[in-house]
Amino acid sequence: MRRVYLDHSATTPVDPEVASLMMTYYTEKYGNPSSIHSFGQEAREALEKAREQVAGFIGAQPAEITFTSGGTEADNLAILGAAEAYKDKGKHLITTAVEHHAILETFEFLAKNGYELTVLPVDEEGLLSVDGVQRAIRPDTILLSVMHANNEVGAIQPVAEIGRLAREKGVIFHVDAVQSLGKIPVNVNDLNVDMLTVSSHKIYGPKGVGALYVRKGIRLVPRVYGGGQEKKRRSGTENTPGIIGFGKACELAQARMADEAAKLTGLRDRLMDGILERIDFVKVNGPRGAKRLPNNVNVSVQYVEGESLLLSLDMVGIAASSGSACTSGSLDPSHVLLAMGMPHEIAHGSLRFSLGRQNTEEDVDYVLEQLPKIVERLRRMSPLFDQMQREAGAK
Ligand SMILES: *Cc1c(COP(=O)(O)O)cnc(C)c1O
């Protein structure tokens, strides 16, 4: 059976070049980068090269990069670390309703522990209003966190403008760029950010590695104490092979980004237009065109359950998602779609296809061949669809 992986926003395969480089640092050059002998030194050199590769990809200085165990830890370090470091200046925090759980849950923890939190709404496309951000900022606001691109609907936020505003008002600005890295330009200076989160496994690097960019001069209280690695910001022996793999993945992504984005945009639109053409009662979620990530398709298929769609697609070899990987398994509809004003019953029938490096037009056409048949079969069993059709017929 054909197998088509369309869940690259959940994770990506490790690039073979990345994997083979990493293997060397597991089996041959396995020194601890803090050791002073030659084993340690060769690991240290490779680690610092990776730091340059990650920094170079986002326009930062190597000294501004702290490696972590992933995007989640980088988000936690940014928010908890800055909230603690700047608590004497104020205790008001701002974020948005469509953030990843690594952001939302962390802010909610702080809101239960003496901080005040404003959660900004988005419009029906999932986009934030810059005016809304401006109105939310108060004299005691210390931290603002806005994601660059949304992991469910691909909406790209006006981060550069928001950053300019934050800087004017003296508010620290953090951006989760896990989904945008490698797909659209991410530059910490163009985006006017103070801190920025990236993750390796979303860009064809290994899982369990990420980084937080922290602009020089921004203070941060560590969350992990110990041997003082990563300039005391994140103790613990570095995941050397993982970090080296992440560095290589950044180098490859930087070289390929322009070509890949153009190809993905073509596939995205072929899939989105094809679905709209072949299936009735379908709605595209998120913005169209340039405000959408080149690899994201998200649709609500009315009168069917997202979970049933996913299972049926899986049976014909197609891997998609009903929103974010983290919330699948739970039957709660996506917090992102609800924040965009979608009624519960429609949010339940939502599907995300996220395209990647290896996908082809044939993959897209296979989905366009299978999905309409699956939807038709599921709707035949749906009492809601039946009722809707009888009511339409009676008119
Ligand atoms: C995947 C993801 C994360 C979490 O990164 P991990 O490396 O998996 O911990 C954070 N934010 C966004 C937007 C993501 O898509």
Side-chain angles (χ1 to χ4, degrees), residues 29 123 372:
K29 304 180 178 179
D123 66 13

Side-chain angles (χ1 to χ4, degrees), residues 37-350:
H37 46 61
S38 64
F39 289 83
Q41 275 172 33
E42 66 190 0
R44 169 61 57 191
E45 265 169 41
L47 183 71
E48 295 313 321
K49 181 177 174 200
R51 200 184 306 279
E52 283 168 24
Q53 287 166 318
V54 175
F57 195 17
I58 60 172
Q61 297 300 315
E64 295 171 315
I65 300 296
T66 301
F67 286 113
T68 66
S69 67
T72 299
E73 190 192 330
D75 282 343
N76 273 262
L77 175 60
I79 296 165
L80 299 174
E84 177 69 22
Y86 291 91
K87 66 181 178 197
D88 292 339
K89 194 176 162 246
K91 290 202 148 187
H92 182 231
L93 314 164
I94 305 174
T95 191
T96 85
V98 293
E99 297 299 308
H100 190 272
H101 287 291
I103 298 281
L104 284 177
E105 298 285 320
T106 308
F107 274 119
E108 274 158 26
F109 167 79
L110 288 174
K112 284 192 204 110
N113 286 276
Y115 290 81
E116 210 186 316
L117 177 63
T118 298
V119 180
L120 297 167
V122 293
D123 66 13
E124 64 284 354
E125 291 190 316
L127 293 166
L128 203 60
S129 119
V130 180
D131 280 350
V133 178
Q134 173 143 31
R135 281 194 301 272
I137 295 177
R138 315 190 312 211
D140 61 337
T141 307
I142 51 171
L143 175 64
L144 164 65
S145 183
V146 175
M147 73 198 323
H148 193 189
N150 186 266
N151 47 306
E152 294 188 33
V153 298
I156 300 168
Q157 303 295 353
V159 162
E161 276 176 77
I162 295 170
R164 211 172 303 129
L165 189 67
R167 190 154 300 164
E168 227 174 79
K169 306 263 184 181
V171 175
I172 294 171
F173 185 39
H174 169 257
V175 166
D176 179 329
V178 171
Q179 290 292 338
S180 53
L181 190 73
K183 298 184 196 105
I184 56 173
V186 175
N187 180 293
V188 294
N189 299 313
D190 295 346
L191 296 180
N192 304 312
V193 304
D194 297 310
M195 298 191 282
L196 183 123
T197 293
V198 289
S199 171
S200 156
H201 75 103
K202 307 278 173 82
I203 64 156
Y204 307 90
K207 293 168 181 60
V209 190
L212 181 66
Y213 157 80
V214 185
R215 187 176 292 279
K216 189 167 178 277
I218 298 290
R219 282 182 290 126
L220 215 54
V221 174
R223 308 312 305 165
V224 179
Y225 296 90
Q229 287 89 345
E230 295 297 289
K231 294 205 165 74
K232 296 200 171 140
R233 283 213 163 122
R234 203 280 190 175
S235 283
T237 302
E238 298 87 343
N239 174 3
T240 322
I243 291 169
I244 291 164
F246 185 21
K248 187 72 186 172
C250 284
E251 183 196 303
L252 296 177
Q254 190 164 10
R256 298 174 186 176
M257 190 165 79
D259 288 346
E260 240 164 47
K263 183 192 110 169
L264 290 171
T265 304
L267 293 178
R268 175 194 73 185
D269 293 344
R270 185 184 184 92
L271 180 56
M272 205 142 66
D273 296 342
I275 290 174
L276 289 172
E277 230 165 71
R278 286 168 179 76
I279 308 173
D280 287 336
F281 309 108
V282 171
K283 186 183 163 301
V284 169
N285 301 316
R288 307 293 296 255
K291 286 183 180 171
R292 184 180 202 103
L293 280 180
N295 76 324
N296 175 289
V297 173
N298 188 311
V299 290
S300 286
V301 184
Q302 274 181 269
Y303 311 108
V304 286
E305 283 282 327
E307 302 292 314
S308 320
L309 278 173
L310 283 187
L311 289 174
S312 303
L313 284 169
D314 191 43
M315 286 201 284
V316 295
I318 299 168
S321 151
S322 61
S324 66
C326 326
T327 41
S328 63
S330 87
L331 283 175
D332 292 338
S334 141
H335 70 286
V336 173
L337 296 177
L338 294 182
M340 289 160 63
M342 182 173 292
H344 274 248
E345 63 277 13
I346 301 183
H348 266 305
S350 298

